[in-house]
Amino acid sequence: MHASIVTIGDEILIGQIIDTNSAYLAKELDKLGFQVDEILTISDKSEEIKKALANCVGKRDLVILTGGLGPTKDDVTKKVFCEFFDDVLVENSKVLEHVTVLLESIFKKPISDINKQQALVPSTSTVLFNTVGTAPGMLMQKENTTFVSFPGVPFEMKTIFEEELVPYIKKHFQGVFNVHKTIITYGIGESLLAEYLAEWEDRMPPNIKLAYLPSPGKVRLRLSTRGSDRELLLKEIDNQVSLIPEKVLPYIRAYEDIDFPEIVIKELQNRNKTISFAESCTGGRFAVLFNALPGSSAYFKGGIICYATESKVSILGVNPETIQQHSVVSEEVAMEMALQSRLKFKSDYAIATTGNAGPSKGDSDVEVGTVYIGIATPSRIFAKKYELGQPREKVINSAIAKGLELIYNEILKK
Amino acid sequence: MHASIVTIGDEILIGQIIDTNSAYLAKELDKLGFQVDEILTISDKSEEIKKALANCVGKRDLVILTGGLGPTKDDVTKKVFCEFFDDVLVENSKVLEHVTVLLESIFKKPISDINKQQALVPSTSTVLFNTVGTAPGMLMQKENTTFVSFPGVPFEMKTIFEEELVPYIKKHFQGVFNVHKTIITYGIGESLLAEYLAEWEDRMPPNIKLAYLPSPGKVRLRLSTRGSDRELLLKEIDNQVSLIPEKVLPYIRAYEDIDFPEIVIKELQNRNKTISFAESCTGGRFAVLFNALPGSSAYFKGGIICYATESKVSILGVNPETIQQHSVVSEEVAMEMALQSRLKFKSDYAIATTGNAGPSKGDSDVEVGTVYIGIATPSRIFAKKYELGQPREKVINSAIAKGLELIYNEILKK
């Protein structure tokens, strides 16, 4: 079961937007057992689209196109479908009724001719109904290749995919499974990890594929396999994971593809503990990470973003003398911020940040890139100093990574 | 000047990561005058990579590949380069020295054989030095097509691109410019906008291309053109923009490609005004949006994230009787939260949110998706109720859009 994803849109080719639709489709097609061979972005020119369709005929089982279905002149996908499949556009009465009801309820006036065109579809296409927008999806076939066209607006594309295409796929395609297992390591470089794993990797069964995914401070290991017996595949992968050499184990933080905040959250949940934040240079990003998931009120108590020195005193309750004596970017202030956050929010743990993310100097004389991270726990308070360089984005991201590392180690101690 | 971007990596084909490298490269190549014809993601199999290279020879001026350059066995790009260009790998002494110094300073021990392999490059390649990592970039040529290979780690790729490839491009490619102008409209649907603009669009010179980029609540219009006389292109685009029919003007919020938070920030800056936030269900996201840019301390005063009802009283200073009488998710509480934020942070404006983003009910009995947004300004305080549906992510994003709309209108009044 081979698939291709084709995105139509000049906005991606000039870098105006990031293509998140393809990532969504790739993940969902993988879950459904497809092997996605390529993801392609092309211009909204008829010839380019036709060439892409022609390249896939007979070679892929499923081709999903997104984009180019709007009511405006720059959207050409439907015209191209008609030429490629030698078909003509006809009005679909169900779609027309839906578009009419939807738009007249919003705009309180009869719909325009431009909008009526949304109900035109190739005569031999299967309409994939769009309950949340006006442009329907379409499904057509040629030489054993199924072509599907979706609108490019992400939530419309996702809705049609889930409501219409997934049931179709489950009925018409079946039998192959992709199984992946991701292992998260921290604190070991890719090369050293590869050295430690060399023998293990050599002995791995040929149907299991190993990939290294490095990012700053972290390497993800992914084991992948595909086949028809899902249970057997899972067992084979688990067996391989159980053979990982002992010296690698201390670096493993999770046996699933989750980010560090989620790893910390799991440890808080396991212990029924709570956390709060007093953030200066990280500006609320710790808080956002810790309340992103449903149910976060069980472990996330809140946060204070005290950018200005004044609010560190008036709202958070830092002693102004501490600031005067040690400066606002200092170990002492970071410790007091963490303590005050823990007390004010009545949380078990607290993380505080004070520093200068740059590019220019702020309320303090410290160098750009200097950040103090304060940690308060039920048993102690401390702070550490970091020089995180530049640019601003890197300073903020590194400060978050360091803070997570510090609090993770404290939580594990209990 | 035609270009292709090829990303090598199974992690993108299975949807494990979003391809942000291509968006970066597309934007930068566009700035340098290239027309990016396609962005392609393929598997790290030798045949696939070779096929992609072969498809571009003679057809593109520049092809950039990212990924597949690490020290581990799943990285095959260099081997493929040698086969495709009929070349052999040789050790580059400058790269070896750099890798040795870099890794020995981190790990305090002699580097391994695996790491030494990072210094191997095809003998006829031009090395693009990687000052921030171990895998160098490489540049090779075949039939007037320049092929460049970069490591996939984003900050390494960006560094090599800026430090090594941009100077190379400026020296060897030249003379063509892409000019884009993006106009942001809010509060008008794509179809109606297209109707209003139909005549204007028909009269547009053929060398200017118009695109509609719709997203919830907003449509971006992009005018694009390319040619050799940059000044003339800019003038032509500006002239076209000046001809936009009058009835569209009230919907235009910006004549550049910026997001709504930035539009609001500009209005604050123009008036020397400040803002603060008291966030419950939005969990700090307003604050993060308003302190993302350098220099934000001039207009961003801070925020309190009071998730639990208790902290709305103890930290923010909401009157507990208001909560008892009207419930914690109510117009009255939203107004008091906004007022308290404005007073505590001494800001000119404040936005407050209290609601239930779901999926389950919280401290209040209100329906999932109900959000009150409170606004405090120098002259008034008010709150509005919204029913934002589900899922959680949509509730939070819509609440932010509504809050920006409310505060924008208040700021403009002054």
Side-chain angles (χ1 to χ4, degrees):
Chain A
M1 298 200 328
H2 292 264
S4 279
I5 298 167
V6 180
T7 308
I8 297 158
D10 288 352
E11 60 273 23
I12 296 168
L13 293 174
I14 65 168
Q16 192 169 24
I17 67 165
I18 291 172
D19 177 18
T20 55
N21 279 351
S22 292
Y24 168 83
L25 288 170
K27 192 172 208 161
E28 296 304 312
L29 290 176
D30 182 79
K31 279 190 215 157
L32 290 161
F34 285 92
Q35 183 173 317
V36 176
D37 292 318
E38 58 169 12
I39 298 174
L40 177 67
T41 305
I42 50 171
S43 165
D44 47 18
K45 297 191 189 95
S46 303
E47 327 83 81
E48 293 293 318
I49 303 172
K50 266 185 273 181
K51 207 172 71 186
L53 297 177
N55 277 339
C56 292
V57 168
K59 283 186 212 138
R60 310 273 184 258
D61 300 290
L62 179 67
V63 178
I64 297 185
L65 287 88
T66 63
L69 284 184
T72 55
K73 292 179 189 177
D74 58 318
D75 288 322
V76 299
T77 306
K78 274 201 297 208
K79 218 183 78 217
V80 171
F81 255 48
C82 282
E83 291 172 26
F84 184 72
F85 292 100
D86 197 14
D87 200 349
V88 290
L89 290 176
V90 295
E91 192 172 274
N92 181 294
S93 59
K94 197 179 155 204
V95 174
L96 182 62
E97 197 198 322
H98 167 70
V99 172
T100 307
V101 170
L102 186 76
L103 292 181
E104 293 188 352
S105 77
I106 297 174
F107 297 110
K108 317 285 181 209
K109 62 167 196 169
I111 70 166
S112 65
D113 286 346
I114 289 183
N115 283 322
K116 278 188 189 156
Q117 288 173 22
Q118 296 281 47
L120 296 176
V121 293
S123 72
T124 60
S125 67
T126 303
V127 168
L128 303 176
F129 207 69
N130 180 354
T131 53
V132 294
T134 57
M138 294 168 293
L139 186 148
M140 300 187 82
Q141 264 158 333
K142 196 168 194 168
E143 294 174 33
N144 291 323
T145 301
T146 300
F147 291 87
V148 174
S149 162
F150 283 139
V153 178
F155 79 92
E156 295 186 26
M157 181 276 294
K158 286 183 195 176
T159 304
I160 308 177
F161 183 86
E162 282 166 24
E163 292 180 353
E164 299 273 302
L165 191 61
V166 170
Y168 182 94
I169 286 174
K170 287 197 170 153
K171 200 170 155 195
H172 295 87
F173 297 89
Q174 55 166 346
V176 184
F177 300 95
N178 293 311
V179 172
H180 307 285
K181 179 109 191 170
T182 299
I183 294 156
I184 315 279
T185 69
Y186 274 89
I188 181 169
E190 187 185 7
S191 307
L192 189 60
L193 187 60
E195 228 180 282
Y196 283 1
L197 291 174
E199 260 188 64
W200 172 76
E201 199 177 336
D202 285 339
R203 286 190 201 143
M204 199 174 292
N207 64 325
I208 298 181
K209 197 175 168 183
L210 179 72
Y212 291 80
L213 311 172
S215 46
K218 162 171 114 171
V219 178
R220 289 187 288 180
L221 288 173
R222 190 188 64 238
L223 290 89
S224 301
T225 184
R226 53 189 271 121
S228 56
D229 186 341
R230 193 161 178 275
E231 293 310 308
L232 181 70
L233 296 171
L234 286 169
K235 220 181 256 175
E236 283 179 343
I237 290 258
D238 282 344
N239 181 49
Q240 199 56 35
V241 170
S242 73
L243 297 173
I244 288 176
E246 212 160 294
K247 60 183 167 184
V248 171
L249 303 184
Y251 301 102
I252 295 179
R253 288 290 155 76
Y255 289 88
E256 57 185 315
D257 195 10
I258 59 176
D259 287 330
F260 206 173
E262 272 185 76
I263 295 173
V264 176
I265 286 170
K266 287 208 167 179
E267 297 298 339
L268 287 172
Q269 284 177 310
N270 290 342
R271 292 162 175 78
N272 262 319
K273 299 293 178 191
T274 58
I275 194 164
S276 68
F277 305 93
E279 304 186 59
S280 184
C281 59
T282 50
R285 285 164 189 79
F286 269 116
V288 168
L289 288 171
F290 278 80
N291 66 51
L293 301 176
S296 54
S297 55
Y299 47 83
F300 171 70
K301 285 283 203 165
I304 294 177
I305 303 153
C306 37
Y307 232 49
T309 300
E310 195 192 338
S311 61
K312 289 187 181 72
V313 175
S314 64
I315 300 174
L316 189 57
V318 172
N319 188 336
E321 281 174 27
T322 314
I323 295 173
Q324 247 175 351
Q325 269 181 39
H326 303 280
S327 114
V328 69
V329 179
S330 63
E331 195 182 335
E332 290 76 10
V333 169
M335 285 168 65
E336 266 200 52
M337 287 173 69
L339 173 65
Q340 289 298 333
S341 176
R342 187 173 173 265
L343 295 176
K344 285 217 150 45
F345 285 104
K346 299 191 175 71
S347 62
D348 298 298
Y349 296 91
I351 303 180
T353 58
T354 178
N356 185 351
S360 61
K361 290 197 174 184
D363 279 358
S364 153
D365 276 341
V366 300
E367 286 306 311
V368 168
T370 303
V371 175
Y372 287 87
I373 299 176
I375 299 286
T377 81
S379 54
R380 69 174 186 136
I381 308 163
F382 67 98
K384 287 209 168 182
K385 181 184 183 179
Y386 298 94
E387 301 292 349
L388 302 170
Q390 275 292 284
R392 183 179 172 83
E393 188 197 340
K394 190 185 148 224
V395 176
I396 293 171
N397 290 337
S398 302
I400 288 167
K402 298 293 180 193
L404 291 171
E405 194 70 44
L406 291 177
I407 204 77
Y408 179 77
N409 290 330
E410 291 302 310
I411 296 169
L412 284 198
K413 279 184 191 164
K414 282 278 150 184
Chain B
M1 300 201 324
H2 292 263
S4 279
I5 299 167
V6 180
T7 309
I8 297 158
D10 288 353
E11 60 274 22
I12 295 169
L13 293 174
I14 64 169
Q16 193 169 22
I17 66 163
I18 291 173
D19 176 18
T20 54
N21 279 352
S22 293
Y24 168 84
L25 288 170
K27 193 172 207 160
E28 297 304 312
L29 290 176
D30 182 79
K31 279 190 216 159
L32 291 162
F34 286 92
Q35 183 173 318
V36 176
D37 293 318
E38 59 169 10
I39 298 174
L40 177 67
T41 304
I42 50 173
S43 165
D44 48 17
K45 297 191 189 97
S46 304
E47 326 84 79
E48 294 292 320
I49 303 172
K50 265 186 274 181
K51 208 171 72 187
L53 297 177
N55 278 338
C56 292
V57 169
K59 284 187 210 139
R60 310 271 185 258
D61 300 290
L62 179 67
V63 178
I64 298 185
L65 288 88
T66 63
L69 283 185
T72 56
K73 292 181 188 177
D74 58 317
D75 288 323
V76 298
T77 306
K78 273 199 299 208
K79 219 183 76 217
V80 171
F81 256 48
C82 282
E83 291 174 24
F84 184 72
F85 293 99
D86 197 15
D87 200 349
V88 289
L89 291 176
V90 294
E91 194 172 274
N92 181 295
S93 58
K94 196 180 156 203
V95 174
L96 182 62
E97 198 199 322
H98 167 69
V99 172
T100 307
V101 170
L102 187 75
L103 293 180
E104 293 188 351
S105 77
I106 297 174
F107 298 111
K108 319 281 179 209
K109 61 167 196 168
I111 70 166
S112 65
D113 286 346
I114 290 184
N115 283 322
K116 280 188 188 155
Q117 287 173 21
Q118 297 280 48
L120 296 175
V121 294
S123 72
T124 61
S125 67
T126 303
V127 168
L128 303 176
F129 207 70
N130 181 354
T131 52
V132 294
T134 56
M138 294 168 293
L139 186 147
M140 299 186 83
Q141 263 158 333
K142 197 169 192 167
E143 294 175 33
N144 291 323
T145 302
T146 300
F147 291 87
V148 174
S149 161
F150 282 138
V153 178
F155 78 92
E156 295 186 24
M157 181 275 294
K158 286 183 196 178
T159 304
I160 307 176
F161 183 85
E162 282 167 22
E163 293 180 353
E164 299 273 302
L165 192 60
V166 170
Y168 183 94
I169 286 174
K170 289 197 170 152
K171 201 171 154 194
H172 293 88
F173 298 89
Q174 55 165 349
V176 185
F177 300 95
N178 294 310
V179 172
H180 307 284
K181 178 107 190 173
T182 299
I183 293 156
I184 314 278
T185 70
Y186 274 89
I188 181 169
E190 187 186 7
S191 306
L192 189 59
L193 187 60
E195 231 179 280
Y196 284 2
L197 291 175
E199 261 185 63
W200 173 75
E201 199 177 338
D202 284 340
R203 286 190 201 143
M204 200 175 291
N207 63 324
I208 298 181
K209 198 175 167 183
L210 178 71
Y212 290 79
L213 311 171
S215 47
K218 161 171 113 170
V219 178
R220 288 187 287 181
L221 289 172
R222 190 188 63 238
L223 290 90
S224 301
T225 184
R226 55 190 269 119
S228 56
D229 186 341
R230 192 161 178 274
E231 294 308 308
L232 181 69
L233 297 171
L234 286 168
K235 222 182 254 176
E236 284 178 342
I237 291 258
D238 282 345
N239 181 49
Q240 199 55 37
V241 169
S242 72
L243 297 173
I244 289 177
E246 213 160 296
K247 59 184 169 184
V248 171
L249 302 184
Y251 303 102
I252 295 178
R253 288 290 156 75
Y255 288 88
E256 57 184 316
D257 196 10
I258 59 176
D259 287 331
F260 206 173
E262 272 186 77
I263 296 174
V264 176
I265 286 169
K266 287 208 168 182
E267 298 299 338
L268 287 172
Q269 284 176 310
N270 289 343
R271 291 163 176 77
N272 262 320
K273 299 293 178 190
T274 59
I275 195 163
S276 69
F277 305 94
E279 304 186 59
S280 184
C281 59
T282 50
R285 284 163 191 79
F286 269 115
V288 168
L289 288 171
F290 278 80
N291 67 50
L293 301 176
S296 55
S297 56
Y299 48 83
F300 171 71
K301 284 284 204 165
I304 295 177
I305 303 153
C306 37
Y307 232 49
T309 300
E310 195 192 337
S311 62
K312 290 186 180 73
V313 175
S314 63
I315 299 174
L316 189 55
V318 172
N319 187 336
E321 281 173 25
T322 314
I323 295 173
Q324 247 176 351
Q325 269 181 40
H326 303 279
S327 114
V328 69
V329 179
S330 64
E331 195 182 335
E332 290 76 8
V333 169
M335 285 166 66
E336 266 199 52
M337 287 173 69
L339 173 65
Q340 289 298 333
S341 176
R342 187 172 172 264
L343 295 177
K344 285 215 149 45
F345 285 104
K346 299 192 176 68
S347 63
D348 298 299
Y349 296 91
I351 303 179
T353 58
T354 178
N356 185 350
S360 61
K361 291 197 174 185
D363 277 0
S364 153
D365 276 343
V366 299
E367 287 306 312
V368 168
T370 303
V371 175
Y372 287 87
I373 298 177
I375 300 286
T377 80
S379 53
R380 69 174 186 137
I381 308 162
F382 66 98
K384 287 210 167 181
K385 181 184 183 179
Y386 298 93
E387 301 291 350
L388 302 170
Q390 274 294 283
R392 183 180 173 83
E393 189 196 338
K394 189 185 148 224
V395 175
I396 293 170
N397 289 337
S398 301
I400 288 167
K402 299 292 181 195
L404 291 172
E405 193 71 43
L406 292 177
I407 204 76
Y408 179 77
N409 291 331
E410 291 302 310
I411 296 169
L412 284 198
K413 278 182 192 168
K414 280 279 150 185

